Amino acid sequence: MTDGIKPFSFDTPGSMLVEWGGAKRMGELLSAWFPERNLLIVTDKFLHENGLLDPAVASLKAHGFTVTVFDDVVADPPEAVLMSCVERAKAAGADVVMGLGGGSSMDIAKLVAVMLVSEQPLSELYGIGKVEGKRTPLVQVPTTAGTGSEVTNITILTTGETTKMGIVSHQLYADRVLLDAELTVGLPPVQTAATGIDAMVHAIEAFTGQHKKNMMSDVFAKEALRLMTANLITACQDGTNRAAREAMLLGANLAGQAFSNSPVGAVHALAYPLGGHYHLPHGLTNALMLGPVLRYNMTAAASLYAELADVVVGPSEEGTQAKSANFVNFMQDLMDRSGAPLKLRDVNVPEADLPMLAKDAMLQTRLLVNNPVEVTEKDALALYREAY
Ligand SMILES: NC(=O)c1ccc[n+]([C@@H]2O[C@H](COP(=O)([O-])OP(=O)(O)OC[C@H]3O[C@@H](n4cnc5c(N)ncnc54)[C@H](O)[C@@H]3O)[C@@H](O)[C@H]2O)c1
Ligand SMILES: [Fe+2]
């Protein structure tokens, strides 16, 4: 007799539409999805000013929607941005919310949908499962193939000079998700690389998670990694390549579903202090730490990395340790070719700060416990030195 399946749960948004060019018929889609007609779009200035929203907004107006655009979202959004978005949404009488942008815009949209109807103060929402009651209808439309925020129940806010805090609650799962890869065509090569590497890290870390890894998160993680490793370089080199953009967006989405159910580990734990102190983009910070952490985990996680080698390199007759090394080398080579900056020194992190970063990384206990190998402060410092 075998042991059977270890019990697990798997949560994700109820409905996803994958359609190239789907944003152009946003009005038609939203009128079928929701009875509400007063929409708030949460986005950032760059996307707004560059016309990325225009086809969607034109379609929405043609279908009778009142549309308010909040475009003050910034990367790693602080609490103040959220609060001014809530104020704007209330003043406009919004009754349905759309996040249209990268992870930052989608994160804010989730909480605005909650705070439009909830009396709970923001300070009471931090942590796991603290949100009570319902929210307004919520649709998410990613424009980066990265965070997978469109399918996660997490919002990350910047709460102080260098600190970020998370809100994790079931209500943050969207009602509807539109994956229109045409929206990602204009993402520049370096951002395509960095956000794509972030998404690949989600898949790898979900697959090697110590506690919540399960049969469904494994399926999503493997397919995510297969799609993205095969398409990252093409998407970086030829942003207009439809097949590559579609594979990256779907891959990032699958990876998001994987890590929303089996949380990330040491790459993210070591990446967060870099974002906090130097305001480096989230994807880039992951790209900087991935190589060192993969090598650090390579022996302990050998059987899992060997399984991933079968997915990204192809099956072979080699032993587990050799396959694990193949996987790590494959990922390092992919990163080298992607064009993302790969060393802390290249992004002006002062060498003297490394001990402080290692100390800070130890605060990410929520993530470090998921890593296949323990990471002490001394180990973290060695990893930052390797990344330097
Ligand atoms: N909720 C989650 O599960 C989760 C997970 C990881 C990270 N995050 C958060 O997500 C944020 C990072 O998200 P991100 O990496 O998607 O970046 P982002 O949303 O911060 O956007 C980065 C930049 O890319 C630009 N951009 C976005 N789409 C574009 C397009 N199609 N063409 C041209 N430019 C485009 C934006 O205008 C912006 O300047 C951080 O705030 C991070 O904390 C959330
Ligand atoms: Fe991430």
Side-chain angles (χ1 to χ4, degrees), residues 44-47 52 73-77 101-107 110 143-150 152-157 164 183-188 191 195 198 202 259 268 272 281-283:
D44 67 47
K45 274 218 168 48
F46 178 84
L47 299 178
L52 203 77
V73 175
V74 291
D76 305 313
S104 305
S105 298
M106 292 188 289
D107 274 12
K110 293 176 192 180
T143 63
T144 59
T147 66
S149 172
E150 73 276 12
T152 69
N153 58 348
I154 311 164
T155 282
I156 299 162
L157 289 177
K164 283 181 157 194
L183 296 174
T184 68
V185 161
L187 194 66
Q191 272 150 283
T195 51
D198 177 33
H202 296 156
F259 94 88
H268 275 77
Y272 276 130
H282 175 76

Coordinates of all heavy atoms in Angstrom, one line a residue, residues 44-47 52 73-77 101-107 110 143-150 152-157 164 183-188 191 195 198 202 259 268 272 281-283, ligand 1:
D44 N -0.8 52.8 -13.6 CA 0.2 53.8 -13.3 C 0.3 54.8 -14.4 O -0.3 54.6 -15.5 CB 1.5 53.2 -12.9 CG 2.2 52.4 -14.1 OD1 2.2 53.0 -15.2 OD2 2.6 51.3 -13.9
K45 N 1.0 56.0 -14.2 CA 1.0 57.1 -15.1 C 1.6 56.7 -16.5 O 1.1 57.0 -17.5 CB 1.8 58.2 -14.6 CG 1.0 59.1 -13.7 CD 1.3 60.6 -13.8 CE 0.2 61.3 -13.2 NZ -0.2 60.8 -11.8
F46 N 2.7 55.9 -16.4 CA 3.4 55.5 -17.6 C 2.4 54.8 -18.6 O 2.3 55.1 -19.8 CB 4.6 54.6 -17.3 CG 5.3 54.2 -18.5 CD1 6.2 55.0 -19.2 CD2 5.0 52.9 -19.1 CE1 6.9 54.6 -20.3 CE2 5.6 52.5 -20.3 CZ 6.6 53.3 -20.9
L47 N 1.7 53.8 -18.1 CA 0.8 53.0 -18.9 C -0.4 53.9 -19.4 O -0.8 53.8 -20.6 CB 0.2 51.8 -18.1 CG 1.3 50.8 -17.6 CD1 0.6 49.7 -16.8 CD2 2.0 50.3 -18.8
L52 N -1.9 52.7 -23.2 CA -2.2 51.3 -23.1 C -3.6 51.0 -22.7 O -4.2 49.9 -23.1 CB -1.2 50.6 -22.1 CG -1.0 49.1 -22.3 CD1 -0.1 48.9 -23.5 CD2 -0.5 48.5 -21.0
V73 N -0.4 55.0 -9.1 CA 0.3 53.9 -8.5 C 1.8 54.0 -8.9 O 2.1 54.4 -10.0 CB -0.3 52.5 -9.1 CG1 0.5 51.4 -8.5 CG2 -1.8 52.4 -8.6
V74 N 2.6 53.7 -7.9 CA 4.1 53.7 -8.2 C 4.5 52.3 -7.8 O 3.8 51.5 -7.1 CB 4.8 54.7 -7.3 CG1 4.5 56.1 -7.9 CG2 4.5 54.6 -5.9
A75 N 5.7 51.9 -8.2 CA 6.3 50.6 -7.9 C 6.4 50.5 -6.4 O 6.7 51.5 -5.7 CB 7.7 50.4 -8.5
D76 N 6.3 49.3 -5.8 CA 6.3 49.1 -4.4 C 5.4 50.2 -3.7 O 5.9 51.0 -2.9 CB 7.7 49.2 -3.8 CG 8.6 48.3 -4.6 OD1 8.2 47.1 -4.7 OD2 9.7 48.7 -5.0
P77 N 4.1 50.2 -4.0 CA 3.3 51.3 -3.5 C 3.2 51.4 -2.0 O 3.1 50.4 -1.3 CB 1.9 50.9 -4.1 CG 2.0 49.4 -4.4 CD 3.4 49.1 -4.7
G101 N -2.3 46.7 -15.1 CA -0.9 47.1 -15.0 C -0.1 46.0 -14.5 O -0.4 44.8 -14.6
G102 N 1.1 46.3 -13.9 CA 1.9 45.3 -13.3 C 1.4 45.0 -11.9 O 0.3 45.3 -11.5
G103 N 2.3 44.3 -11.2 CA 1.9 43.8 -9.8 C 1.5 44.9 -8.9 O 0.6 44.8 -8.1
S104 N 2.2 46.1 -9.1 CA 1.9 47.2 -8.2 C 0.4 47.7 -8.3 O -0.3 47.9 -7.4 CB 2.8 48.4 -8.4 OG 4.2 47.9 -8.3
S105 N 0.0 47.8 -9.6 CA -1.4 48.3 -9.8 C -2.4 47.3 -9.4 O -3.4 47.6 -8.8 CB -1.6 48.6 -11.3 OG -0.7 49.6 -11.8
M106 N -2.1 46.0 -9.7 CA -3.1 44.9 -9.3 C -3.2 44.8 -7.8 O -4.3 44.5 -7.3 CB -2.7 43.6 -10.0 CG -2.9 43.7 -11.5 SD -2.7 42.1 -12.3 CE -0.9 41.8 -12.1
D107 N -2.0 45.0 -7.1 CA -2.1 44.9 -5.6 C -2.9 45.9 -5.0 O -3.7 45.7 -4.1 CB -0.6 45.0 -5.1 CG 0.1 43.7 -5.0 OD1 -0.4 42.7 -5.6 OD2 1.2 43.6 -4.4
K110 N -6.8 45.3 -5.5 CA -7.4 44.3 -4.6 C -7.8 45.0 -3.3 O -9.0 44.7 -2.9 CB -6.3 43.3 -4.2 CG -5.8 42.4 -5.3 CD -4.7 41.5 -4.7 CE -4.0 40.8 -5.9 NZ -2.9 39.9 -5.5
T143 N -0.2 43.5 -17.2 CA 0.5 44.0 -18.3 C 2.0 43.6 -18.2 O 2.8 44.0 -19.1 CB 0.4 45.5 -18.5 OG1 1.0 46.2 -17.3 CG2 -1.0 46.0 -18.6
T144 N 2.4 42.9 -17.2 CA 3.8 42.3 -17.1 C 3.5 40.8 -17.0 O 2.6 40.4 -16.4 CB 4.6 42.8 -15.9 OG1 3.9 42.5 -14.7 CG2 4.8 44.3 -16.0
A145 N 4.5 40.0 -17.5 CA 4.4 38.6 -17.2 C 5.4 38.3 -16.1 O 6.6 38.0 -16.3 CB 4.8 37.8 -18.5
G146 N 4.9 38.6 -14.9 CA 5.8 38.6 -13.7 C 5.2 38.1 -12.4 O 5.2 36.9 -12.2
T147 N 4.7 39.1 -11.7 CA 4.3 38.8 -10.3 C 3.2 37.7 -10.2 O 3.1 37.0 -9.2 CB 3.7 40.0 -9.6 OG1 2.5 40.4 -10.3 CG2 4.7 41.2 -9.7
G148 N 2.3 37.6 -11.2 CA 1.2 36.7 -11.0 C 0.2 37.2 -10.0 O -0.7 36.5 -9.6
S149 N 0.3 38.5 -9.7 CA -0.6 39.1 -8.7 C -2.0 38.9 -9.1 O -2.9 38.9 -8.2 CB -0.2 40.6 -8.5 OG -1.1 41.2 -7.7
E150 N -2.3 38.8 -10.4 CA -3.7 38.6 -10.8 C -4.4 37.4 -10.2 O -5.6 37.3 -10.2 CB -3.8 38.7 -12.3 CG -3.3 37.4 -13.1 CD -1.8 37.4 -13.3 OE1 -1.1 38.2 -12.7 OE2 -1.4 36.5 -14.1
T152 N -3.1 35.9 -7.2 CA -2.7 35.6 -5.8 C -3.7 36.4 -4.8 O -4.4 37.3 -5.2 CB -1.3 36.1 -5.5 OG1 -1.2 37.5 -5.5 CG2 -0.3 35.5 -6.5
N153 N -3.7 35.9 -3.6 CA -4.5 36.6 -2.6 C -3.7 37.5 -1.7 O -3.9 37.6 -0.5 CB -5.2 35.5 -1.7 CG -4.2 34.6 -1.0 OD1 -3.0 34.6 -1.4 ND2 -4.7 33.8 -0.1
I154 N -2.6 38.1 -2.3 CA -1.7 38.8 -1.5 C -1.5 40.3 -2.1 O -1.5 40.5 -3.3 CB -0.2 38.2 -1.6 CG1 -0.3 36.7 -1.4 CG2 0.8 38.9 -0.7 CD1 1.0 36.0 -1.8
T155 N -1.5 41.2 -1.1 CA -1.1 42.6 -1.5 C 0.1 42.9 -0.7 O 0.1 42.7 0.5 CB -2.2 43.6 -1.3 OG1 -3.1 43.5 -2.3 CG2 -1.7 45.0 -1.2
I156 N 1.1 43.5 -1.3 CA 2.3 44.0 -0.6 C 2.4 45.5 -0.6 O 2.4 46.1 -1.7 CB 3.6 43.3 -1.2 CG1 3.5 41.8 -1.0 CG2 4.8 43.8 -0.4 CD1 4.4 41.0 -1.9
L157 N 2.5 46.1 0.6 CA 2.5 47.5 0.7 C 3.9 48.0 1.3 O 4.4 47.2 2.2 CB 1.4 48.1 1.5 CG 0.0 48.0 0.9 CD1 -1.0 48.5 1.9 CD2 -0.1 48.8 -0.4
K164 N 8.3 46.5 4.1 CA 7.1 46.1 3.3 C 6.3 45.2 4.2 O 6.8 44.4 5.0 CB 7.4 45.4 2.1 CG 8.0 46.3 1.0 CD 8.3 45.4 -0.3 CE 8.2 46.2 -1.5 NZ 8.2 45.3 -2.7
L183 N -1.1 43.2 -24.5 CA -0.8 44.4 -23.6 C 0.7 44.3 -23.1 O 1.2 45.3 -22.6 CB -1.7 44.3 -22.3 CG -3.2 44.5 -22.6 CD1 -4.0 44.3 -21.3 CD2 -3.5 45.9 -23.1
T184 N 1.3 43.2 -23.2 CA 2.7 43.1 -22.8 C 3.8 43.4 -23.9 O 5.0 43.4 -23.6 CB 3.0 41.7 -22.2 OG1 3.0 40.7 -23.2 CG2 2.0 41.3 -21.1
V185 N 3.3 43.6 -25.1 CA 4.2 43.7 -26.2 C 5.2 44.9 -26.0 O 6.4 44.8 -26.5 CB 3.4 43.9 -27.5 CG1 4.2 44.5 -28.7 CG2 2.8 42.6 -28.0
G186 N 4.8 46.0 -25.4 CA 5.7 47.1 -25.3 C 6.6 47.1 -24.1 O 7.4 48.0 -23.8
L187 N 6.6 46.0 -23.3 CA 7.4 45.9 -22.1 C 8.9 45.8 -22.6 O 9.2 44.9 -23.4 CB 7.0 44.7 -21.3 CG 7.6 44.6 -19.9 CD1 7.0 45.7 -19.0 CD2 7.3 43.2 -19.3
P188 N 9.8 46.8 -22.2 CA 11.1 46.8 -22.7 C 11.9 45.5 -22.3 O 11.5 44.8 -21.3 CB 11.8 48.0 -22.0 CG 10.6 48.8 -21.5 CD 9.5 47.9 -21.3
Q191 N 13.0 44.9 -18.6 CA 11.9 44.6 -17.7 C 11.2 43.2 -18.0 O 10.7 42.6 -17.2 CB 10.8 45.7 -17.8 CG 11.1 46.8 -16.8 CD 10.6 48.1 -17.4 OE1 11.3 48.7 -18.2 NE2 9.5 48.6 -16.9
T195 N 11.1 40.7 -14.9 CA 9.7 40.2 -14.5 C 9.6 38.7 -14.8 O 9.0 38.0 -14.0 CB 8.6 41.0 -15.1 OG1 8.8 41.1 -16.5 CG2 8.6 42.5 -14.5
D198 N 11.5 36.8 -12.2 CA 10.6 36.8 -11.0 C 9.6 35.6 -11.1 O 9.5 34.8 -10.1 CB 9.9 38.1 -10.8 CG 9.0 38.2 -9.6 OD1 9.3 37.6 -8.6 OD2 8.0 38.9 -9.7
H202 N 9.1 32.2 -8.9 CA 7.8 31.7 -8.2 C 7.6 30.2 -8.4 O 7.3 29.5 -7.5 CB 6.6 32.5 -8.7 CG 6.7 34.0 -8.4 ND1 6.0 34.9 -9.2 CD2 7.3 34.6 -7.5 CE1 6.2 36.1 -8.7 NE2 7.0 36.0 -7.6
F259 N 2.5 29.6 -6.5 CA 3.1 30.1 -5.3 C 2.1 30.7 -4.4 O 2.3 30.9 -3.2 CB 4.3 31.1 -5.6 CG 3.9 32.5 -5.6 CD1 3.9 33.3 -4.5 CD2 3.7 33.1 -6.9 CE1 3.7 34.7 -4.6 CE2 3.4 34.5 -6.9 CZ 3.4 35.3 -5.8
H268 N 13.3 35.0 -2.6 CA 12.5 36.2 -2.3 C 12.9 36.8 -0.9 O 12.9 38.0 -0.8 CB 11.0 35.8 -2.3 CG 10.3 35.9 -3.6 ND1 10.5 35.0 -4.6 CD2 9.6 36.9 -4.2 CE1 9.9 35.3 -5.7 NE2 9.3 36.5 -5.5
Y272 N 13.9 40.8 -1.0 CA 13.1 41.9 -0.4 C 13.9 43.0 0.2 O 13.6 44.2 0.0 CB 12.1 41.3 0.6 CG 10.8 40.8 -0.1 CD1 10.3 39.6 0.2 CD2 10.2 41.7 -1.0 CE1 9.1 39.2 -0.5 CE2 9.0 41.3 -1.6 CZ 8.5 40.0 -1.4 OH 7.3 39.6 -2.0
P281 N 13.6 47.3 -8.7 CA 12.4 46.6 -9.1 C 12.4 45.1 -8.5 O 13.4 44.5 -8.5 CB 12.4 46.6 -10.6 CG 13.4 47.7 -11.0 CD 14.4 47.8 -9.9
H282 N 11.2 44.7 -8.2 CA 11.1 43.4 -7.5 C 11.7 42.3 -8.4 O 12.4 41.4 -7.9 CB 9.6 43.1 -7.3 CG 9.3 41.8 -6.8 ND1 9.5 41.4 -5.5 CD2 8.8 40.7 -7.4 CE1 9.2 40.1 -5.3 NE2 8.7 39.6 -6.5
G283 N 11.4 42.3 -9.7 CA 11.9 41.2 -10.6 C 13.4 41.2 -10.6 O 14.0 40.2 -10.5
Ligands
LIG1 N1 0.7 40.3 -4.9 C1 1.6 39.5 -5.2 O1 1.4 38.3 -5.2 C2 3.0 40.0 -5.5 C3 4.0 39.2 -5.7 C4 5.3 39.7 -6.0 C5 5.4 41.1 -6.1 N2 4.4 41.9 -5.9 C6 4.5 43.4 -6.0 O2 4.4 43.7 -7.4 C7 5.1 44.8 -7.7 C8 6.1 44.5 -8.9 O3 5.3 44.3 -10.0 P1 5.8 44.3 -11.5 O4 7.2 43.7 -11.5 O5 4.8 43.8 -12.4 O6 6.1 45.9 -11.8 P2 5.3 47.2 -11.6 O7 3.8 47.0 -11.5 O8 5.9 47.9 -10.4 O9 5.6 48.0 -12.9 C9 7.0 48.3 -13.2 C10 7.1 49.2 -14.4 O10 6.8 48.5 -15.6 C11 5.9 49.3 -16.4 N3 5.1 48.5 -17.2 C12 4.1 47.6 -16.8 N4 3.6 47.0 -17.9 C13 4.2 47.5 -18.9 C14 4.0 47.3 -20.4 N5 3.1 46.4 -20.8 N6 4.7 48.0 -21.2 C15 5.6 49.0 -20.7 N7 5.9 49.2 -19.4 C16 5.1 48.5 -18.5 C17 5.1 50.2 -15.4 O11 4.6 51.3 -15.9 C18 6.2 50.4 -14.3 O12 6.9 51.6 -14.6 C19 5.8 45.2 -6.4 O13 5.1 46.3 -5.8 C20 5.8 43.9 -5.6 O14 5.8 44.2 -4.2 C21 3.1 41.4 -5.6

